């Protein structure tokens, strides 16, 4: 499914709906038919997640905060699925401090898939600052269902379930100390040449310096995966640190086309400011977390996952992303390291500008390296190392799609892209990837223990089910 | 504008008599179309003579014209016209043009021949004689076309950009030569020169230049060194400046014969537009700006009042650098929206210069919704698979069409907006403008160049409708400067002086009349007119008839050269800087309290240096305590008989790394006859209430002049930060008790801190006695005065958001008798209370230092400032919201970004800047929430004199200079030895929210008293004071029978002044 242009989507879907409708009218739903019926609903999942992304772009939500929204919005959907199917472990088997609240409604009087999709939107509507805009998407979803002759009564009861669970998730979210962030000390850059300072053009304040205080979903604490220490700072041109910075500089002088493409592809900066005189305009993009949620959807569709598996994939990625950001931000604000742009301007070339706009946060470790590696590991656990996919997440921003043979390759590219982009040193990338890998390993162990098992050969399955 | 940033900056206008017929003609610049030259035919009739005068006058086809000036460049007695070019076009398209007046109604373009066909990106040119050799040179104001965002620009500053850097052209026998490098002007690519004005700001006979700079680059104040070079003194002379400086004018608006400066910026007057421009305050960005030598800059118009040059007796080593007090907010002219051209002139002929300001912008993209809009627009277009249209972007930007502003001078450093009354209320987007008496009827008319609209000519009807008179002077000097550029004129009329210089290039892109116009109100004969010609020779005319268009020709006057006209220069000032009695430079922690509580108005951490005076070693000589800083603890300085001080090595007072000393006083706590030291702890930082950091200390004198901290003598007083400690034997039992004022609860502003009455048991043990003022509010100061003369000293308190409160000391306790002493007691910020018998009637009067009138916070009884506070979102932190009135409605001070950062759920409530822009407290919170919240208010920001008269404390006015800044310390004494009490007001506060900015226009305000309660301001040169920075403490001290004052300034060296 392409991530844009709903007109095209619904045209295609009209055909599918008719097919599904015929099936629905003629046959009693049977296990063999479940996959087809599922497809009628899985096709709503990417658009629903993308609706969240749109709102977050509008609200200029920072990467860590975005990951929190994605995680909570998908948790409710997962909970609905797991309450429908008791082979799917409940959230309270692996999510910290979560207590299941059983859905009272009779299983047969609502469709768990409708409820699941609606729950994603409803949770977003309740949580996001401009969440009210999602009321429109909810209405469109219901209208679409009605157009496909799904009985009003079924829709209404499914919506009621979704509303119940969404409120429950929002309640759960209220204890993660997000609300206490505004009472905390704001960030003051440390004094010293080695420390981070705001960067041009807008010299924006450091983003979410207290993010490490947020309650993680699965890892034990924000500092559970402290990274290896960074290379020691030095202004000396013979030092290792200078060499790191020089590498960033040298790469930027003669980048290859491919390096430029890669840097742009993984930019994922929710708000890059361009100035012209007194005018400033913000260029918005999907955040790193949003990018990986989209990749998850692409992979799920490629692998023709059932609805429940699709949701599971999104959920384990969403959880991993949230915890990975908490871990990464803990490291960033422990080390408070200077950005390449600042260092290079001071000690190598005053006029140098990186290809990408330096995000307003300390440098070590690289966010993309940590979270992309973590997400890729979890996806590899669930869907295997052989699932190739074409990622068109950035098409909306006029960046052409890229094809990857596996999640790990994509993550490795996301990590190194930060060097090409001129915003990270190599050690932040390599150690960040290591940090992400360790975090994911921990998550995977817990998922396994909870009973979330990998899909059997998803690529093969995908190949077998080619339309 | 997306291609060329200054696309919407407008064009200039010049007015001058081009055919020497006594009527002022007009030249209007058009950026893209044809310039126009209009011949004045009298009776407000004008004829377009552009084509007949010279076909090139219309401007080069395809060129982008900016500023225009008129001057007699070739010295033949006919005004020539110089037109500037800019734009992102080819070099040759940008060559400036010089139209030489042929004397017969025609012009010839000859810039190349004169060496003035410069191809820089030019804004404006000003002709003036910089080297006093008799001919006119030229300063060319240019601008860069590429804004550099990086503020760490050290290496850029030494570059020379041939096309963006300003230039000085020296007139060498009629040919102009670029001498920029040798004269010392900045030519780097960071200059965005928009305004230029020439004046002799330090009155030394050499013309100085003020150049404004848009964006981060600061303005330059080039003082002419008199030897062919300039030096930029902006950072020494100005405390801060406009950030996006546009036009500039220099004129004496307060009639003290010192030229003042006004620069314009972009701050709107109304709340709605202000809120739609505000993002989060960025302290790091501001700090970087200051650290890179870019000076503090704030986005608002600045009115820089010239304080004059300090005399040599004041330690001025002949540098002749003036200081300026910025008073735009006090004056009421700080916010006129996106403004361009300021013009000081006496429009109503009452003898004081008024102020006209043009404003407007065609496409307003500073709106913060717009900043975010573009991103959404692009995504939507991508999703709809539609192309992005640049015109869509342009059209979304609204036009800011506002009436221009015109302000009437109130004669007391303030102005009143007369837009409606004077007929200036038509909304229009204007840029360049000039004044001139177009119909020769004795009042100044205005010509305004507008964007996409006809030019406006406003005829002044003052002469028709009022009796106010005028004097118009046309000055004829000698060749080649026949139009007398650089001449100075003083008009003395009924005890008042008016001062002007012939420097017609001023305002923005424009050039006013070369004639000097003075309003003389109802005078029919003017006492005298003094003219100082460019060669410094003086010509005086006496008993000049008013209502006169007078032409004065240069006559070889009697040789009486006046090297300077500053009579105060030679006088002996009241204070003279003294050699350091001892040396100490306070080093501040650079803390930012707003990181802890985002919405406070002021910081509380910066309490030091604290000074206390006492005789520690009982030798009859006064000693001093000075608190420490991050590098050292507090110390005692003992005075010896030779009049110098030495550090007492055994006394180590406090440790600023663990606590902050906020106040100190010497008392004989244990009655052994030796001075002990009580040190009150305060500050804010990361201190927590009820911890040792906030516990006061008592240092007991060992009888040999050493002070040692004692334990167990004080009760626990660590509940809050303190502000003051005032000793008094309030219960008359023979020992000294203490009032200790609570200032703030760190982290819990503005909840009421705890104040203490500490009762001495006679042996230095203190215990807390409960009183009605234990939680009275955020106390800043207190004084013990026996108001009712019953032998028991009463307690007068003041504090932030508090009234000045009187507690009568009665045998049965303290009773609040505030209403007995005040008929109405205003609530203020009140930083200080000082007691003195001002009017010599035997009753103590009070001087209460306050915030002053020079800030954005304007309050009154009718329109109070109100602070609502509560933990609205139940997350453990207090959310304080300060509101004050703007144009009749009370609005919250907080911006949308700040609100969203303080209370996250607000992000859902106001989804855009526009949605929040007109919100009041009632829109932000529900009635229930507001009813339950705490509420404090403030109704008075003026520093007041309260005279003790007939059992009441009656407010009396102080001179306006007392309101220029926050007053934190006051010393009352007879400084000028005339037998009457004077007042020295010190203060300043720079540790404020960025939106408030530094309030530091006080250089040491000396007010001399007449013994009856009236005061006069003494100018800085006459007072001898030039105190820059935030004064935290000050005291008098006697050394060798001479009085000194010691001034403690945050993060600066202590200053010592000898009192004459």
């Amino acid at each position: 499914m392409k991530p844009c242009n709903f007109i095209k989507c619904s045209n295609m879907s009209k055909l599918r709906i008719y097919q599904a409708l015929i099936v629905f009218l003629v046959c009693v739903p049977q296990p063999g038919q479940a996959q087809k019926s599922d497809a009628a609903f899985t096709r709503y999942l990417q658009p629903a997640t993308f609706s969240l992304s749109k709102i977050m772009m509008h609200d200029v939500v920072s990467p860590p905060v975005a990951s929190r929204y994605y995680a909570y919005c998908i948790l409710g959907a997962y909970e609905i699925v797991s309450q429908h199917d008791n082979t799917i472990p409940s959230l309270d088997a692996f999510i910290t401090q979560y207590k299941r609240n059983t859905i009272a409604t009779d299983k047969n009087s609502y469709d768990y898939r409708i409820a699941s999709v609606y729950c994603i939107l409803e949770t977003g509507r309740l949580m996001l600052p401009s969440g009210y805009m999602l009321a429109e998407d909810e209405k469109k979803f219901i209208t679409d269902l009605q157009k496909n002759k799904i009985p009003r009564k079924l829709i209404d009861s499914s919506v009621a379930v979704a509303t119940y669970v969404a409120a429950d998730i929002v309640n759960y979210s209220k204890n993660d100390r997000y609300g206490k962030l505004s009472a905390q000390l704001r960030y003051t850059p440390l004094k010293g040449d080695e420390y981070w300072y705001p960067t041009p053009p807008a010299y924006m304040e450091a983003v979410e310096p207290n993010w490490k205080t947020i309650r993680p979903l699965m890892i034990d604490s924000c500092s559970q995966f402290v990274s290896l220490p960074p290379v020691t700072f030095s202004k000396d041109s013979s030092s290792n640190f200078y060499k790191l910075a020089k590498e960033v500089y040298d790469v930027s002088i003669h980048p290859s086309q491919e390096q430029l493409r890669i840097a742009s592809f993984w930019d994922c900066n929710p708000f890059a400011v361009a100035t012209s005189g007194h005018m400033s305009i913000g260029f918005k993009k999907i955040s790193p977390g949003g990018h990986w949620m989209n990749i998850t959807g692409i992979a799920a569709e490629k692998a023709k996952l059932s609805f429940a598996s699709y949701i599971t994939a999104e959920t384990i990625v969403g959880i991993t992303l949230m915890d990975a950001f908490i871990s990464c931000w803990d490291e960033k604000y422990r080390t408070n390291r200077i950005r390449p742009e600042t260092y290079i301007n001071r000690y190598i070339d005053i006029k140098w500008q990186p290809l990408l706009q330096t995000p307003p946060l300390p440098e070590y470790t690289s966010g993309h390296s940590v979270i992309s590696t973590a997400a890729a590991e979890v996806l590899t656990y669930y869907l295997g190392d052989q699932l190739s996919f074409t990622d068109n997440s950035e098409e909306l921003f006029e960046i052409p799609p890229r094809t990857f043979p596996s999640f790990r390759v994509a993550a490795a590219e996301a990590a190194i892209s930060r060097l090409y982009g001129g915003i990270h040193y190599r050690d932040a990338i390599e150690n960040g990837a290591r940090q992400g890998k360790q975090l994911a390993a921990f998550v995977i162990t817990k998922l396994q223990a909870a009973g979330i098992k990998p899909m059997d050969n998803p690529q093969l399955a995908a190949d077998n089910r080619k339309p | 504008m997306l291609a060329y940033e200054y696309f919407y900056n407008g064009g200039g206008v010049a007015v001058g008599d081009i055919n020497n017929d006594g009527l002022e003609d007009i030249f209007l610049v058009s950026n893209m179309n044809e310039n126009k030259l209009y011949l004045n035919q009298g009776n407000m009739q004008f004829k377009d003579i552009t084509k007949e005068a010279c076909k090139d006058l219309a401007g080069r086809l395809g060129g982008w014209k900016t500023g225009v000036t008129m001057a007699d460049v070739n010295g033949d007695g006919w005004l020539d016209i110089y037109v500037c070019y800019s734009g992102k076009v080819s070099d040759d398209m940008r060559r400036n043009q010089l139209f030489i007046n042929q004397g017969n109604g025609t012009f010839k373009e000859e810039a190349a021949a004169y060496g003035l066909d410069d191809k820089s990106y030019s804004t404006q040119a000003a002709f003036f004689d910089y080297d006093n050799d008799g001919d006119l040179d030229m300063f060319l104001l240019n601008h860069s076309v590429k804004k550099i965002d990086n503020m760490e620009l050290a290496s850029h500053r030494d570059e020379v950009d041939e096309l963006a850097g300003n230039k000085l052209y020296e007139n060498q026998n009629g040919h102009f030569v670029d001498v920029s490098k040798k004269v010392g002007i900045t030519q780097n690519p960071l200059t965005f020169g928009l305004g230029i004005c020439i004046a002799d700001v330090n009155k030394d006979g050499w013309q100085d230049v003020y150049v404004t700079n848009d964006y981060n680059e600061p303005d330059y104040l080039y003082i002419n060194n008199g030897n062919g070079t300039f030096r930029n003194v902006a950072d020494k002379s100005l405390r801060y400046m406009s950030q996006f400086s546009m036009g500039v004018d220099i004129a004496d608006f307060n009639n003290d014969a010192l030229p003042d400066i006004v620069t314009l910026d972009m701050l709107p007057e109304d709340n709605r537009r202000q809120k739609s421009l505000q993002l989060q305050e960025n302290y790091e960005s501001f700090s970087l700006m200051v650290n890179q030598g870019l000076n503090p800059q704030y986005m608002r118009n600045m009115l820089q009042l010239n304080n004059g040059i300090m005399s040599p007796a004041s330690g001025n080593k002949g540098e002749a650098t003036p200081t300026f007090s910025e008073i735009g907010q006090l004056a009421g002219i700080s916010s006129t929206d996106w403004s361009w051209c300021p013009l000081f002139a006496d429009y109503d002929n009452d003898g004081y210069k008024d102020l006209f300001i043009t404003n407007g912008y065609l496409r307003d993209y500073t709106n913060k919704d717009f900043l975010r809009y573009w991103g959404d627009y692009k995504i939507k277009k991508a999703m709809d698979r539609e192309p992005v249209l640049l015109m869509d972007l342009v059209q979304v930007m609204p036009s800011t069409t506002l009436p221009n502003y015109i302000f009437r001078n109130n004669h007391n450093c303030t102005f009143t907006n007369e837009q409606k009354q004077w007929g200036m209320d038509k909304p229009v987007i204007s840029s360049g403008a000039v004044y001139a008496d177009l119909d020769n009827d004795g009042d100044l008319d205005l010509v305004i160049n507008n964007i996409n609209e006809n030019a406006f000519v406003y005829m002044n009807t003052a002469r028709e409708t009022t009796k106010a008179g005028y004097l118009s002077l046309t000055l004829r000097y000698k060749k080649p400067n026949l139009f007398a550029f650089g001449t100075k004129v003083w008009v003395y009329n009924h005890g008042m002086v008016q001062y002007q210089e012939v420097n017609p290039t001023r305002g923005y892109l424009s050039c006013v009349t070369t004639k000097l116009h003075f309003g003389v109100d109802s005078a029919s004969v003017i006492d005298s007119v003094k003219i100082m010609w460019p060669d410094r020779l003086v010509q005086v005319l006496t008993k000049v008839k008013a209502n006169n268009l007078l032409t004065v020709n240069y006559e070889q006057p009697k040789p009486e050269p006046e090297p300077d006209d500053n009579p105060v220069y030679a006088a002996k000032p009241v204070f003279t800087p003294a050699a350091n009695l001892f040396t100490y430079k306070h080093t501040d922690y650079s803390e930012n309290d707003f990181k802890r509580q985002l919405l406070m108005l002021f910081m509380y951490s910066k309490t030091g240096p604290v000074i206390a005076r006492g005789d520690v070693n009982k030798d009859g000589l006064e000693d001093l305590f000075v608190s420490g800083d991050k590098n050292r603890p507090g110390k005692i300085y003992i005075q010896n008989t030779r009049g110098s001080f030495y550090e007492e090595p055994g006394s180590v007072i406090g440790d600023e790394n663990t606590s902050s000393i906020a106040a100190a006083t010497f008392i004989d706590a244990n009655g052994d006859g030796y001075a002990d030291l009580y040190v009150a702890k305060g500050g804010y930082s990361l201190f927590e209430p009820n911890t040792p950091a906030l516990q006061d200390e008592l240092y007991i004198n060992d009888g040999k002049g050493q002070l040692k901290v004692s334990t167990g003598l004080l009760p626990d007083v660590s509940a809050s930060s303190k502000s003051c400690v005032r000793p008094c034997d309030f219960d008359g039992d023979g020992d000294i008790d203490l009032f200790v004022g609570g200032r703030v609860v760190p982290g819990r502003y503005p909840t009421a801190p705890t104040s203490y009455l500490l009762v001495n048991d006679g042996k230095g043990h203190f215990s807390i006695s409960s009183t009605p003022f234990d939680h009275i509010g955020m106390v800043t100061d207190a004084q013990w005065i026996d108001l009712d003369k019953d032998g028991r000293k009463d307690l007068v308190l003041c504090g932030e958001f508090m009234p000045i409160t009187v507690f009568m000391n009665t045998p049965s306790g303290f009773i609040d008798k505030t209403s007995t002493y005040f008929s109405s007691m205003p609530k203020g910020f009140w930083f200080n209370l000082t007691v003195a018998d001002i009017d010599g009637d035997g009753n103590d009067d009070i001087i209460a230092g306050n915030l002053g009138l020079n800030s954005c916070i304007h309050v009154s009884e009718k329109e109070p400032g109100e602070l609502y506070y509560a933990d609205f979102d139940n997350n453990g932190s207090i959310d304080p919201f300060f509101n004050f009135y703007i144009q009749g409605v009370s609005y919250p001070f907080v911006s949308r970004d700040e609100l969203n950062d303080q209370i996250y759920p607000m992000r859902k409530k106001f989804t855009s800047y526009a949605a929040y822009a007109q919100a009041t407290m009632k829109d932000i919170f529900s009635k229930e929430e507001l009813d339950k919240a705490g509420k404090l208010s403030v109704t008075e920001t003026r520093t007041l004199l309260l005279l003790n008269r007939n059992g009441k404390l009656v407010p009396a006015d102080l001179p306006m200079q007392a309101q220029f800044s926050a007053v934190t310390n006051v010393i009352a004494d007879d400084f000028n030895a005339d037998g009457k009490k004077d007042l020295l007001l010190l203060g300043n506060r720079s540790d404020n929210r960025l939106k408030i900015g530094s309030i530091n226009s006080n250089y040491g305000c000396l007010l001399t008293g007449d013994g009856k309660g009236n005061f006069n301001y003494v100018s800085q040169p006459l007072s001898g004071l030039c105190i820059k920075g935030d004064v935290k403490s000050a005291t008098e001290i006697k050394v060798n029978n001479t009085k000194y004052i010691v001034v403690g300034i945050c993060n600066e060296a202590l200053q010592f002044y000898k009192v004459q």
Side-chain angles (χ1 to χ4, degrees), chain B residues 134-184:
Chain B
D135 58 17
L136 294 181
D137 314 294
M138 189 264 264
F139 191 105
L140 185 60
L141 182 71
N142 294 325
H143 61 267
S144 178
V145 289
K146 185 69 190 95
K147 180 171 157 238
I148 295 170
D149 288 312
N150 190 335
M151 279 200 278
E152 296 193 34
L153 302 158
S155 67
H156 280 301
R157 319 213 71 170
D158 297 328
E159 288 173 25
V160 171
D161 189 322
E162 289 298 333
L163 296 179
N166 299 328
K167 291 190 179 147
L168 185 72
Y169 279 93
E170 181 182 336
N171 187 340
Q172 297 175 358
N173 294 320
H175 190 82
F176 287 80
V177 176
D178 180 354
V179 296
S180 312
K181 288 181 187 37
K182 78 168 198 215
V183 304

Side-chain angles (χ1 to χ4, degrees), chain B residues 700-713:
Chain B
I700 298 292
N701 194 325
D702 66 357
K704 300 190 220 82
Q706 271 204 358
L707 294 167
K708 297 269 191 270
V709 68
S710 69
T711 47
L713 292 177

Side-chain angles (χ1 to χ4, degrees), chain B residues 364-427:
Chain B
D364 185 8
Y365 39 66
T366 54
N367 181 302
K368 291 302 172 278
D369 282 326
F370 177 77
L371 169 66
R372 297 189 168 196
Y373 167 85
W374 173 244
D376 291 343
Y377 171 83
K378 272 200 89 179
I379 291 171
K380 182 166 188 310
K381 283 297 181 192
M383 286 178 53
D384 295 344
R385 294 217 188 280
E386 285 170 22
V388 160
L389 296 171
L390 224 47
M391 272 317 288
D392 281 350
L393 180 63
V394 171
Q395 265 150 14
V396 155
M397 306 186 230
S399 278
T400 314
T401 310
L402 300 160
N404 297 316
Y405 278 83
I406 189 152
F407 296 95
R408 181 187 169 270
N409 191 329
N410 295 325
H411 311 180
N412 64 353
C413 293
T414 70
F415 290 79
T416 303
N417 182 350
E418 300 278 3
Q419 277 169 315
K420 288 197 173 51
Q421 296 82 337
W422 289 8
M424 197 64 72
D425 54 2
K426 191 173 158 143

Side-chain angles (χ1 to χ4, degrees), chain B residues 887-906:
Chain B
Q887 296 177 323
V889 179
S890 181
Y891 290 106
F893 189 48
V894 71
S895 71
R896 176 174 173 261
D897 282 2
E898 288 153 11
L899 177 64
N900 288 347
D901 198 17
Q902 179 76 12
I903 298 183
Y904 282 11
M906 286 297 164

Side-chain angles (χ1 to χ4, degrees), chain A residues 193-218:
Chain A
D193 293 331
E194 67 264 45
Y195 293 119
W196 178 82
Y197 204 80
T199 47
Y203 294 93
M204 285 193 259
E205 285 191 324
V207 165
E208 296 301 344
N210 297 310
W211 195 252
K212 66 174 187 261
T213 63
I214 301 293
R215 174 190 64 190
L217 289 172
M218 284 184 70

Side-chain angles (χ1 to χ4, degrees), chain A residues 43 65 73 93 113 148 243 264 282 312 351 396 415-416 431 436 451:
Chain A
R43 70 189 178 85
V65 180
C73 288
R113 294 162 300 184
N148 294 310
K243 292 201 183 81
S264 300
T312 303
K351 296 215 180 100
L396 202 56
I416 198 65
N431 292 341

